[in-house]
Amino acid sequence: MELLAVILLFYASQYLLAMGEEVFEGAELAVLPCHYSGVIPEVNPSVIWSRHDLKPQTVHLRRKEDDFCGQNQRFSGRTSMKFDALASADFSLSLRNPRLYDSGNYICSISDGIAEITVTEVKLQVKASPESLTMTMKVLKGEESVLLPCQYGKELEEVVTVKWSRSDLNPNIVHKLGNYPSEQNQLYEGRTSMSPYALTSSDFSLTLKEPQLSDSGIYICSIIDDKEEIFLSDVQLHVRASEEFLTVTVEVYKGEESVVLPCQYSKVIEDLVTVKWGRSGLNPDTVHQRRERDDLRGQNQLFEGRTSMRPDALVSGNFSLTLKEPQLSDSGIYICSIIDEEEETRLLDIQLHVKEIFPTWAVVLLVLLVLLAVSGGLLFHFRHDLISVYKVEVDSGVESVLLPFKTTVRLSEYNTTVTWRNNRNRVVHSNCYKDYQQHKQFKGRTEMNINYKSRDFSLTLKNPTDRDSGTYSCTVYDYWSGKILAEKQVLLKVKVYKVEVNSGVKSVLLPFKTTVSLTEDNTTVTWRNNDGRMVASNRYKDDQQHRQYKNRTEMKKNYGSGDFSLTLKNPTVRDSGTYSCTVYDDKSGKIRPNKQVLLKVKVYKVEVDSGVESVLLPFKTPVSLTEEVTVTWRNNSGRVVDGYDWWYKNLQQHKQYEGRTEMKINVKSRDFSLTLKNPTVRDSGTYTCTVSYRQTGEILAMKQVLLKVKVYKVEVDSGVESVLLPFKATVLLSKDNTTVTWTDNPGRVVRKHNRRLGFLSEVQHQRYKNRTEMKTKFTPGNFSLTLKNPRHRDSGIYTCIVSRWGTILAMKQVLLKVKVYKVEVDSGVESVLLPFKTPVSLTGVVTVMWRNNSGRMVDCNYFKELQLRQYKYRTEMKKNYKSGDFSLTLKNPTVRDSGTYTCTICRKETILAKKQVLLKVKADSPIMAIDFGSGYSGYAFNLKPREEGGETQLKRWGKELGLDSPKTPTCILFDRHKRFLKFGYEAKTAYSNMRGREADNYYIFDNFKRNILDIYEPAPGRGVRNNEKIFFFSKSMTRLELFREVLRFLKDDALKTIKHHPAGGEISASDFTWVLTVPGSLKDLTKRLMTEAAVQAGLVGEDTKDKLVFALESAAALAWCLKPPPDGFITQNHSRTSQDQPPEPAGAGTSCNDPAGGPEPGETRVLLETQNQDQVAEPGETRVLLETQNQDQVHCKMGTKILLETRNPDRKRYLVVDCGDQIYRITVHEVLEGGALKMLDKDFRRYLGEKKIKEFLREIFSHGVWREYEENFPSEVLKIMFEFIHLQHLDEDVQISCPDTLRERAQREKDIETFFASVEGASWEDGVIKISRDKLRSFFDDSLQRITERLRDVLNKNSNIGFIVLVGGLAESQMLRQFITDQFGHQYKVLCPLRPQEAVLKGAVELGRNPELVQFD
């Protein structure tokens, strides 16, 4: 044996050779080579792989077989050697899934149990790959410090060592929690620190001061106990020399499947936040948004359907965005940020470059060069006509801005009207309107130098402000005929200068410098805040300055240079907002240049966990001070937290903070930081420190600090055996009189324990008797509480206080949430199961009892005679004592059975287990659907339970006018005091009958849906614009007022209708589920407005908002068509003659373009597929995808069944064209498994029909007759347009009544018949205007062409579309149906229900009864 040892030592010199291996983290395998050519010991041979820097050192041990007993646990399951290693002398080690912390020197040695020699030493370097890093941090050289995050999610049971290391250094120790200066690498000497509460809070983050370029690298955070080292996280630190490197650049070629934009967040997300991806330069700028789930309502349409985030993004902190099919237009800067209740935090900017593959862009570039050379001059000449919306951006404070408009149309100087309006239709400037017609916002601020020769009608707007931002339209039209000659839109954006400062700075400068020459004698300069309060002025007296700004402002008064910048001293968060500086000329009264500045004062934030010993609110001012100062800390209620006065010493402190504060009073170092001991949730809020002179009260310095004390949260399900409320503190305990007290949020004692007296049971509240446990030995500072059998009423905040002789030593709060299991069923089900299965081992005699929320017995394994009569013969309880299953079955549940049920298992008086179950039995309420349309509105209802089916009923309107319509005009009339009068036909009729100036005393609003529902996100500093006014004929009301009154009328009218219905009777609004139709996906602001209006109108209450349902109009219409509608579908031949025949019910058929077995030429029929399914179609024929007329067969478990499996095997998508009377909407829907509808695409456009008829009437009544009539008799114009809307459905000669006032005004000029002589397609006959069929069609030519273009765009963009469904009022037009069929019928199935105007309303009722039919994104 001694000889063998000598031989081994001899070979040591040959094999002690260091080798190097490099591998990337994430690789499948790393091989550490070791080959031995010496003598293998015959007795007890073993190969040892070890690392001397670890404890234990053994990486792998091979004897006859692998021995893992002493292996370091970080390598557990990851190492292996060849099975014949000792025989082949190949001792190489395979290390699976190498991690960063595996980097180090590995020693391969051989031993016989007595001697050991090193064969080789391998230096393994595991390099980080970007996707494997836990976190990447970027910081600039010269910053004060950088924080490397590291959190440990578990509770530490014993003392451990926390270690930060860098594997590329020697020694590799960056920092150890404790005093280990000899082990630390000298590069970090004096530059690292960790929180003193790290072991208590499990926050092991490392602060690295004054980061240098050499600090870049990978930092590993780990903890070491007596047994092993546990890896926690790795952080890649990049220290850069300049800020430009802080933006990540990502490059990708066009045509790639997708690209990932990386974004990581290291902190633990405690509250609900929104992750937002935006892109600068877009409007809207939202690329993707995630809250609890994806929220894409405000998404820019460029990215629709192309973005996604990880499902666990908010949990993992990986906010990376996947962008599918990147396009060249996707290049730009993408911003990753998070938004909480207080602010938006910017995390990362990413520069995305999408590059074209070389051959393509080279060819395109050559083509463009040729085109530019040929057409460059033409493009420049017609540039204003080619750009649809010209954009102009200026800074607030410029003297003026030019909105350009130059047309190529030849114009006459004598009969041309030029009018500029803003996007609220207010008159900005006109060459013929009188001054009083110009809106007051623009008075004295506009100039337009009209040049008819150069055709330049550009507008100069003086002193633009943020309020002026928006779209401006210039219209040039002929004064006499009203014909529009030229139009242009200009988008103006006035940018506000932004200033951001931190609370605590001495002052902030709001800059304003004008180039206008000013004199002191006749110039008034005034600064105001966004509430109009005076901040500073060169003229006004001090008493006119708002008290908020007293002694805090200084304004420069340099009239020569025009500098009137304002200095605001000691800014606080209250000062944040927009400030406007206005310069007045006192002589002329004119406003000189003005400027707006947006000030944002950021508050320093401090976040700590409840239970920490103390928290520091920092304040160190740069202001030089004398000792005669007063320092006061106050909370946001104005209470004194702590204070110091040189004369009076300590100020009177509020009792909440007595004995809990320490304030540094160092006038020389100007440090007045406050330490608050044992902070609780109650202490959260904004704290303000003010330093002022004692004698004068002048404020010298001020700072605000926002403190957030986070409560540790514990969530458990009702029914668990117990829950632990954790609390560990490093408190030195006395054996004499240390007391630990747990209380709940009403202040009741949960448990109290004294170190000397023990458990004080006499003060414990009755609710917690026999339900709590604490460790009686509090070393090492463990004060955790165990609460047995937690129930829902135990939810709340629990506070633990450790005290000695009344002095608080430690305090912590824990939020407990006991979740009750919820069961929801519909009324009418056979039974419902209330589950309860306990893990508690049950022996002997136990009592199991179910009680309701009134404490009455529902069921019991004994004492059956005590069962409440309500539950007799209706309950069955499982009694499985082995498995612990005591679930309860309740038969025939009703609404009366709703409530909380508690199951208790006890032995004598001891509770062994308890669980609560919340049962909700939903009543099948009747459905009321309201379709609030652009032109027409109405309602429908179904009073029958869902399982009974029942026919949907519609209110019929217009009987007083001889009409029978399912909808009434969206027109509402108010009196002069804005009190509701009439709605619909009655409102239009009443207003049309008013004469002269009588109408001026009333408010009428028509076709205002879009104005109500189009709510945009408010600008910074502005609130939600629910109360923004809507104007109509110079009258205005707020959005909320209008929509509320519409809903109130429709609700009241519906209840009156139902009262007289055979199945109605006495029924109230609260009995209904209300369905409101919406045109597209709802924005949050629009949904809030509609909900608020519904509450105010009495549809639902604050506590019953869940009975308000929103349904997409297109989805509702499609749901009705797929039911199928009992009346069937209109079908017509391709022949044009078919348009001449009115529709009439008929037999079997399919659609508008059914080619097989169709009607004879000229025939139009309503067709339903016959019940005879054996009829064989001709080759290539497409059959209808609808069920038979037998409606009893159209059922499924949830109500309506969409029969697609056998009729639509290819899952074709449906394109729905909702042809309203003013707007047509195009949407694409896909039918999912189970019949749910999902919207894939949408678009909408406005018709030109109404505009065309007005142009037509102007053409007839020339010489200004129509213009004067429009201005003086608006109510009669409404009546004419109303009549036209009803006639536009026809495809024949029509006639419109001519009001007497129009005829009389026209005859003053000449004989009325002569007006029609030169107008084609129009004639006069006995007081009516006759319009020929061809002329009527011409009104819709442009609209039909536009519909066709939009349909082609949508069809080209969406594949697998099989059907085009026409619904809406205008779908009744034979002209429209035939046109769509002619254009698309050869490729797609065109369907139109017999009563298309009713489809949305009836479908909305179906969605109310079966909300699962529609899937909302």
Side-chain angles (χ1 to χ4, degrees):
M1 189 65 68
E2 294 176 357
L3 178 63
L4 177 61
V6 173
I7 295 173
L8 290 175
L9 290 171
F10 170 76
Y11 280 105
S13 61
Q14 301 182 44
Y15 298 103
L16 186 56
L17 181 64
M19 304 176 67
E21 290 292 324
E22 289 187 354
V23 66
F24 281 101
E25 183 181 24
E28 185 177 346
L29 196 69
V31 178
L32 310 185
C34 181
H35 298 277
Y36 182 61
S37 59
V39 177
I40 302 294
E42 295 181 0
V43 180
N44 298 326
S46 61
V47 178
I48 307 159
W49 279 92
S50 60
R51 263 181 61 181
H52 294 329
D53 60 329
L54 299 180
K55 184 181 179 182
Q57 298 180 356
T58 303
V59 176
H60 193 94
L61 175 60
R62 165 68 65 84
R63 291 193 171 98
K64 291 183 179 180
E65 56 186 23
D66 291 331
D67 183 352
F68 297 116
C69 291
Q71 185 184 39
N72 190 300
Q73 288 302 301
R74 70 159 59 181
F75 299 102
S76 178
R78 296 198 297 131
T79 59
S80 61
M81 293 174 61
K82 296 177 68 172
F83 71 94
D84 60 345
L86 288 170
S88 64
D90 183 357
F91 302 155
S92 300
L93 180 72
S94 296
L95 177 61
R96 289 184 289 277
N97 302 320
R99 302 299 303 272
L100 292 174
Y101 58 75
D102 291 331
S103 297
N105 294 329
Y106 291 75
I107 299 168
C108 173
S109 58
I110 185 170
S111 172
D112 63 351
I114 298 177
E116 179 180 334
I117 64 167
T118 298
V119 179
T120 187
E121 183 175 340
V122 181
K123 183 175 183 179
L124 175 63
Q125 178 67 45
V126 182
K127 295 184 176 181
S129 57
E131 60 272 12
S132 67
L133 285 172
T134 304
M135 173 56 62
T136 300
M137 302 294 295
K138 297 184 179 181
V139 68
L140 294 177
K141 177 185 176 184
E143 291 285 341
E144 185 176 346
S145 64
V146 61
L147 185 72
L148 308 183
C150 179
Q151 302 277 349
Y152 187 52
K154 300 178 181 178
E155 188 174 348
L156 294 172
E157 297 292 340
E158 55 188 15
V159 178
V160 298
T161 300
V162 181
K163 171 185 166 185
W164 279 90
S165 58
R166 260 182 69 182
S167 58
D168 58 332
L169 297 181
N170 188 17
N172 68 353
I173 303 298
V174 176
H175 188 90
K176 272 191 178 182
L177 186 58
N179 188 16
Y180 302 92
S182 59
E183 299 182 35
Q184 185 183 37
N185 192 298
Q186 292 185 357
L187 290 174
Y188 299 96
E189 188 174 354
R191 295 199 296 128
T192 59
S193 63
M194 291 174 62
S195 169
Y197 313 112
L199 293 176
T200 305
S201 63
S202 297
D203 183 358
F204 304 145
S205 302
L206 179 72
T207 300
L208 175 60
K209 302 174 186 175
E210 301 173 359
Q212 307 296 317
L213 296 177
S214 58
D215 292 331
S216 296
I218 298 169
Y219 292 74
I220 300 170
C221 174
S222 57
I223 57 174
I224 306 169
D225 59 16
D226 293 336
K227 301 177 181 178
E228 60 176 334
E229 181 176 353
I230 302 172
F231 166 80
L232 299 182
S233 66
D234 43 31
V235 180
Q236 171 81 59
L237 175 63
H238 291 291
V239 184
R240 299 300 188 189
S242 63
E243 189 150 6
E244 65 193 54
F245 293 99
L246 290 177
T247 298
V248 176
T249 300
V250 176
E251 293 187 351
V252 66
Y253 283 102
K254 177 186 175 184
E256 293 286 341
E257 184 176 347
S258 64
V259 60
V260 177
L261 309 183
C263 181
Q264 297 276 352
Y265 187 62
S266 61
K267 297 181 181 178
V268 177
I269 298 175
E270 296 274 346
D271 301 317
L272 188 62
V273 299
T274 299
V275 179
K276 176 183 175 184
W277 277 92
R279 187 176 136 194
S280 56
L282 294 182
N283 186 16
D285 66 346
T286 301
V287 176
H288 194 95
Q289 196 158 280
R290 165 76 62 83
R291 193 168 172 82
E292 293 176 303
R293 55 182 179 179
D294 288 337
D295 182 1
L296 307 179
R297 287 168 288 187
Q299 184 185 44
N300 191 299
Q301 291 187 356
L302 291 174
F303 303 96
E304 191 170 357
R306 296 200 295 131
T307 59
S308 62
M309 291 174 63
R310 289 169 52 124
D312 63 341
L314 292 174
V315 178
S316 65
N318 186 347
F319 302 155
S320 301
L321 179 74
T322 300
L323 176 61
K324 302 174 186 175
E325 301 171 359
Q327 307 296 318
L328 295 177
S329 58
D330 292 335
S331 296
I333 296 177
Y334 291 74
I335 302 165
C336 175
S337 58
I338 58 173
I339 306 168
D340 59 19
E341 295 178 353
E342 298 165 359
E343 64 175 359
E344 180 173 348
T345 304
R346 192 164 175 165
L347 301 181
L348 186 66
D349 291 3
I350 294 182
Q351 175 74 60
L352 175 63
H353 292 294
V354 183
K355 298 186 291 185
E356 183 76 65
I357 300 174
F358 172 74
T360 305
W361 70 257
V363 173
V364 172
L365 180 60
L366 290 174
V367 173
L368 286 175
L369 288 173
V370 174
L371 291 174
L372 286 171
V374 175
S375 58
L378 292 174
L379 287 172
F380 178 79
H381 185 70
F382 294 105
R383 64 191 184 281
H384 293 308
D385 297 301
L386 292 172
I387 300 174
S388 58
V389 180
Y390 189 85
K391 296 181 181 179
V392 176
E393 286 194 7
V394 293
D395 292 317
S396 171
V398 297
E399 186 175 354
S400 63
V401 59
L402 182 71
L403 309 184
F405 180 26
K406 196 171 184 179
T407 181
T408 58
V409 180
R410 295 183 179 274
L411 302 171
S412 169
E413 184 175 350
Y414 301 104
N415 62 346
T416 301
T417 299
V418 182
T419 304
W420 281 88
R421 294 179 181 269
N422 66 1
N423 49 352
R424 299 183 68 177
N425 206 33
R426 293 170 175 170
V427 175
V428 179
H429 194 94
S430 179
N431 68 332
C432 69
Y433 282 12
K434 299 176 182 178
D435 289 342
Y436 71 84
Q437 292 176 296
Q438 184 184 34
H439 194 271
K440 60 183 179 181
Q441 177 183 341
F442 304 101
K443 291 281 187 185
R445 297 177 54 216
T446 58
E447 284 184 5
M448 184 170 66
N449 297 319
I450 297 180
N451 192 324
Y452 293 95
K453 291 184 179 179
S454 64
R455 303 159 204 157
D456 190 352
F457 304 104
S458 302
L459 178 73
T460 299
L461 178 61
K462 302 175 185 176
N463 305 317
T465 66
D466 177 48
R467 183 185 177 194
D468 297 321
S469 295
T471 302
Y472 290 76
S473 303
C474 181
T475 306
V476 182
Y477 57 91
D478 185 86
Y479 179 83
W480 302 113
S481 67
K483 183 178 180 181
I484 295 176
L485 306 174
E487 283 183 294
K488 172 82 178 281
Q489 287 184 316
V490 179
L491 176 61
L492 172 63
K493 183 177 181 181
V494 183
K495 295 181 291 183
V496 177
Y497 187 83
K498 296 181 182 179
V499 177
E500 287 193 7
V501 293
N502 292 316
S503 171
V505 297
K506 184 178 180 181
S507 63
V508 59
L509 182 71
L510 308 183
F512 178 34
K513 196 170 184 180
T514 179
T515 57
V516 178
S517 179
L518 302 171
T519 60
E520 184 175 357
D521 296 335
N522 60 351
T523 301
T524 299
V525 183
T526 305
W527 280 89
R528 295 184 181 274
N529 65 7
N530 46 354
D531 294 326
R533 295 169 176 171
M534 184 184 294
V535 180
S537 178
N538 68 332
R539 291 271 189 236
Y540 296 119
K541 299 176 182 178
D542 290 342
D543 59 353
Q544 292 175 295
Q545 183 185 38
H546 193 270
R547 64 178 182 273
Q548 179 182 340
Y549 303 100
K550 292 286 186 184
N551 304 317
R552 295 179 56 215
T553 59
E554 286 183 8
M555 185 175 70
K556 293 182 181 180
K557 301 173 185 177
N558 197 325
Y559 298 91
S561 64
D563 191 353
F564 299 99
S565 301
L566 178 72
T567 298
L568 179 61
K569 302 175 185 176
N570 303 312
T572 66
V573 70
R574 182 186 177 193
D575 297 319
S576 296
T578 302
Y579 290 77
S580 302
C581 181
T582 307
V583 182
Y584 299 89
D585 187 324
D586 294 340
K587 287 186 177 180
S588 64
K590 293 183 178 180
I591 299 176
R592 295 294 186 182
N594 54 23
K595 183 172 183 177
Q596 292 174 306
V597 180
L598 177 61
L599 172 63
K600 183 177 181 181
V601 183
K602 296 182 289 184
V603 178
Y604 186 83
K605 295 182 180 179
V606 176
E607 287 193 7
V608 293
D609 292 316
S610 171
V612 298
E613 188 175 348
S614 63
V615 60
L616 182 71
L617 309 184
F619 181 26
K620 195 170 184 180
T621 178
V623 181
S624 297
L625 303 171
T626 65
E627 293 187 343
E628 294 186 2
V629 295
T630 297
V631 182
T632 308
W633 278 91
R634 295 180 183 271
N635 65 7
N636 45 358
S637 302
R639 296 169 177 170
V640 175
V641 179
D642 204 349
Y644 175 83
D645 184 278
W646 183 255
W647 186 261
Y648 296 104
K649 303 302 179 185
N650 293 322
L651 300 176
Q652 187 172 2
Q653 186 180 42
H654 191 271
K655 61 182 180 180
Q656 178 183 341
Y657 303 99
E658 287 179 359
R660 296 177 55 217
T661 60
E662 286 182 7
M663 186 173 66
K664 295 182 180 180
I665 306 294
N666 195 327
V667 177
K668 291 184 180 180
S669 66
R670 294 163 284 192
D671 190 352
F672 302 103
S673 301
L674 178 73
T675 298
L676 179 61
K677 301 175 185 176
N678 303 313
T680 65
V681 177
R682 184 184 177 192
D683 296 320
S684 296
T686 302
Y687 290 77
T688 305
C689 182
T690 306
V691 182
S692 59
Y693 278 127
R694 183 180 61 81
Q695 293 180 339
T696 64
E698 180 186 351
I699 296 175
L700 304 174
M702 182 184 292
K703 181 174 183 178
Q704 290 178 307
V705 179
L706 177 62
L707 172 63
K708 184 176 181 181
V709 183
K710 296 180 290 182
V711 179
Y712 186 83
K713 298 179 182 178
V714 176
E715 286 194 6
V716 294
D717 292 317
S718 171
V720 297
E721 186 175 355
S722 63
V723 59
L724 181 71
L725 308 184
F727 181 25
K728 282 188 177 182
T730 54
V731 179
L732 294 175
L733 302 177
S734 169
K735 295 183 179 180
D736 296 332
N737 200 23
T738 301
T739 302
V740 181
T741 307
W742 278 91
T743 57
D744 59 14
N745 44 353
R748 295 174 294 214
V749 175
V750 179
R751 189 176 181 94
K752 189 170 185 178
H753 195 98
N754 184 275
R755 191 74 181 274
R756 182 168 55 87
L757 301 177
F759 172 44
L760 305 176
S761 60
E762 64 274 8
V763 297
Q764 185 180 40
H765 192 271
Q766 183 66 31
R767 173 187 289 189
Y768 302 102
K769 292 288 185 182
N770 303 318
R771 296 180 57 214
T772 61
E773 282 184 4
M774 284 180 65
K775 293 182 179 179
T776 55
K777 295 182 179 180
F778 295 125
T779 53
N782 190 347
F783 309 106
S784 301
L785 175 76
T786 299
L787 179 63
K788 302 176 183 176
N789 300 316
R791 63 199 81 167
H792 179 62
R793 72 174 184 173
D794 293 325
S795 297
I797 294 177
Y798 290 77
T799 305
C800 181
I801 298 177
V802 183
S803 61
R804 184 188 303 126
W805 302 111
T807 301
I808 296 175
L809 305 177
M811 181 187 296
K812 182 173 183 178
Q813 291 178 307
V814 179
L815 175 61
L816 172 64
K817 184 177 180 182
V818 183
K819 295 180 290 183
V820 178
Y821 188 84
K822 296 181 181 179
V823 176
E824 285 193 8
V825 293
D826 291 319
S827 174
V829 298
E830 187 175 347
S831 64
V832 59
L833 181 72
L834 308 184
F836 180 28
K837 196 170 185 179
T838 178
V840 178
S841 177
L842 301 176
T843 57
V845 178
V846 295
T847 301
V848 183
M849 183 179 296
W850 280 90
R851 293 182 181 271
N852 64 10
N853 47 357
S854 300
R856 297 178 177 179
M857 185 189 292
V858 179
D859 203 349
C860 184
N861 61 341
Y862 302 108
F863 315 116
K864 277 285 188 180
E865 66 276 6
L866 298 179
Q867 185 181 37
L868 188 65
R869 184 173 59 182
Q870 175 184 341
Y871 302 103
K872 289 283 186 183
Y873 312 114
R874 295 178 57 217
T875 61
E876 285 183 9
M877 184 174 66
K878 295 182 180 180
K879 300 171 185 176
N880 195 326
Y881 295 89
K882 289 185 178 180
S883 66
D885 190 354
F886 299 97
S887 301
L888 179 73
T889 299
L890 179 62
K891 302 174 184 177
N892 304 315
T894 66
V895 176
R896 183 186 177 193
D897 294 322
S898 296
T900 302
Y901 290 76
T902 305
C903 181
T904 307
I905 304 176
C906 56
R907 180 180 293 115
K908 295 184 179 179
E909 295 182 356
T910 303
I911 296 175
L912 304 177
K914 180 178 283 192
K915 181 174 182 178
Q916 291 176 306
V917 179
L918 177 62
L919 172 63
K920 183 178 180 181
V921 183
K922 296 182 291 183
D924 201 0
S925 60
I927 305 296
M928 178 70 69
I930 294 178
D931 183 16
F932 174 52
S934 300
Y936 288 81
S937 299
Y939 61 82
F941 57 89
N942 195 317
L943 303 177
K944 295 288 186 181
R946 183 164 49 182
E947 60 271 11
E948 293 183 21
E951 185 179 352
T952 296
Q953 305 290 326
L954 279 81
K955 164 70 181 282
R956 313 303 295 186
W957 304 85
K959 292 182 180 179
E960 66 278 6
L961 300 176
L963 302 173
D964 183 27
S965 172
K967 290 187 180 181
T968 190
T970 306
C971 177
I972 191 167
L973 181 66
F974 298 88
D975 66 12
R976 61 189 303 175
H977 302 295
K978 298 185 180 180
R979 289 178 299 208
F980 171 80
L981 292 177
K982 296 180 183 297
F983 183 82
Y985 288 114
E986 293 182 356
K988 287 210 170 194
T989 303
Y991 192 75
S992 299
N993 291 335
M994 294 177 187
R995 296 288 180 178
R997 295 295 177 185
E998 180 188 0
D1000 294 341
N1001 296 323
Y1002 293 85
Y1003 289 70
I1004 188 165
F1005 297 89
D1006 193 17
N1007 305 330
F1008 50 87
K1009 172 182 177 178
R1010 189 176 176 191
N1011 293 331
I1012 286 182
L1013 299 187
D1014 285 358
I1015 304 177
Y1016 299 97
E1017 292 293 334
R1022 296 185 179 179
V1024 180
R1025 298 180 293 176
N1026 283 3
N1027 293 320
E1028 183 176 338
K1029 294 184 176 180
I1030 296 175
F1031 290 82
F1032 199 82
F1033 285 137
S1034 303
K1035 301 295 176 66
S1036 66
M1037 288 181 69
T1038 66
R1039 299 175 190 270
L1040 186 60
E1041 288 174 327
L1042 276 175
F1043 195 52
R1044 178 190 66 209
E1045 294 306 318
V1046 171
L1047 292 182
R1048 193 194 304 278
F1049 167 78
L1050 292 173
K1051 177 207 71 174
D1052 293 343
D1053 192 82
L1055 294 178
K1056 288 179 186 176
T1057 302
I1058 291 171
K1059 187 175 182 180
H1060 297 95
H1061 190 275
E1066 292 298 330
I1067 192 167
S1068 65
S1070 60
D1071 295 323
F1072 283 96
T1073 294
W1074 294 86
V1075 183
L1076 300 184
T1077 64
V1078 292
S1081 298
L1082 273 182
K1083 299 176 184 174
D1084 283 339
L1085 296 180
T1086 308
K1087 187 174 181 180
R1088 276 187 302 211
L1089 178 139
M1090 296 179 76
T1091 304
E1092 185 177 352
V1095 171
Q1096 293 186 14
L1099 276 69
V1100 295
E1102 287 289 348
D1103 56 343
T1104 58
K1105 290 180 181 177
D1106 58 335
K1107 298 189 74 174
L1108 184 66
V1109 179
F1110 297 98
L1112 300 181
E1113 293 170 357
S1114 57
L1118 184 56
W1120 178 248
C1121 292
L1122 292 176
K1123 187 182 176 182
D1127 301 317
F1129 288 82
I1130 300 173
T1131 183
Q1132 57 193 49
N1133 193 275
H1134 291 294
S1135 168
R1136 279 286 180 186
T1137 58
S1138 66
Q1139 296 183 18
D1140 299 327
Q1141 304 298 325
E1144 60 183 39
T1150 57
S1151 66
C1152 297
N1153 56 322
D1154 190 358
E1160 293 297 323
E1163 179 183 4
T1164 303
R1165 295 188 299 157
V1166 178
L1167 299 177
L1168 283 173
E1169 185 176 6
T1170 63
Q1171 296 182 8
N1172 183 4
Q1173 299 298 319
D1174 298 327
Q1175 294 178 356
V1176 181
E1178 294 296 325
E1181 177 184 359
T1182 305
R1183 301 300 299 172
V1184 71
L1185 308 180
L1186 297 171
E1187 181 56 283
T1188 64
Q1189 296 182 23
N1190 185 359
Q1191 293 299 305
D1192 295 333
Q1193 298 178 11
V1194 188
H1195 289 290
C1196 72
K1197 62 180 179 180
M1198 298 305 294
T1200 303
K1201 182 177 182 181
I1202 302 175
L1203 301 174
L1204 299 167
E1205 290 77 5
T1206 57
R1207 311 302 187 94
N1208 188 5
D1210 296 329
R1211 293 278 171 188
K1212 295 291 186 181
R1213 296 170 177 173
Y1214 293 79
L1215 187 149
V1216 180
V1217 187
D1218 186 358
C1219 311
D1221 289 299
Q1222 294 187 355
I1223 292 175
Y1224 65 89
R1225 299 181 186 275
I1226 301 173
T1227 51
V1228 177
H1229 288 270
E1230 182 177 16
V1231 182
L1232 306 177
E1233 292 290 341
L1237 303 175
K1238 181 179 180 181
M1239 185 173 69
L1240 304 178
D1241 197 3
K1242 62 180 182 296
D1243 191 14
F1244 78 92
R1245 288 293 187 275
R1246 183 172 290 275
Y1247 292 118
L1248 300 176
E1250 186 173 331
K1251 184 177 179 182
K1252 291 283 187 179
I1253 187 65
K1254 284 189 176 182
E1255 291 179 359
F1256 172 64
L1257 293 171
R1258 288 193 193 101
E1259 184 182 358
I1260 295 173
F1261 301 103
S1262 54
H1263 306 293
V1265 172
W1266 178 256
R1267 176 184 174 81
E1268 182 181 336
Y1269 180 69
E1270 268 192 308
E1271 292 179 356
N1272 295 324
F1273 300 96
S1275 60
E1276 293 188 1
V1277 174
L1278 279 178
K1279 188 174 183 180
I1280 294 175
M1281 301 315 301
F1282 164 64
E1283 190 174 353
F1284 169 73
I1285 288 172
H1286 275 273
L1287 296 174
Q1288 66 185 2
H1289 297 165
L1290 303 177
D1291 191 30
E1292 59 189 29
D1293 294 346
V1294 297
Q1295 56 188 27
I1296 298 176
S1297 302
C1298 181
D1300 294 338
T1301 49
L1302 177 57
R1303 184 174 67 250
E1304 291 169 2
R1305 176 63 188 88
Q1307 286 180 335
R1308 290 186 212 159
E1309 300 291 332
K1310 57 183 178 180
D1311 186 64
I1312 193 166
E1313 293 185 359
T1314 60
F1315 280 98
F1316 296 84
S1318 59
V1319 180
E1320 184 180 352
S1323 60
W1324 174 264
E1325 184 176 318
D1326 296 331
V1328 298
I1329 303 170
K1330 296 191 67 175
I1331 305 174
S1332 69
R1333 173 185 177 184
D1334 290 338
K1335 188 67 175 181
L1336 183 63
R1337 286 183 175 180
S1338 70
F1339 296 159
F1340 296 95
D1341 284 344
D1342 289 343
S1343 293
L1344 292 175
Q1345 290 299 328
R1346 293 188 184 190
I1347 292 176
T1348 303
E1349 292 172 5
R1350 295 309 303 155
L1351 278 175
R1352 291 197 194 284
D1353 291 342
V1354 175
L1355 289 168
N1356 290 335
K1357 191 166 59 171
N1358 294 273
S1359 60
N1360 204 34
I1361 291 177
F1363 307 89
I1364 298 176
V1365 182
L1366 304 178
V1367 296
L1370 203 61
E1372 295 180 357
S1373 168
Q1374 301 169 22
M1375 176 177 22
L1376 174 69
R1377 293 197 306 270
Q1378 188 65 50
F1379 188 84
I1380 298 296
T1381 302
D1382 289 345
Q1383 296 293 321
F1384 303 101
H1386 62 284
Q1387 190 174 357
Y1388 305 96
K1389 204 72 173 176
V1390 181
L1391 301 173
C1392 180
L1394 178 63
R1395 296 180 176 85
Q1397 194 177 12
E1398 300 177 5
V1400 172
L1401 266 174
K1402 290 184 175 179
V1405 173
E1406 285 302 310
L1407 295 185
R1409 292 160 68 91
N1410 303 287
E1412 69 278 358
L1413 288 181
V1414 177
Q1415 182 186 89
F1416 289 92
D1417 292 330

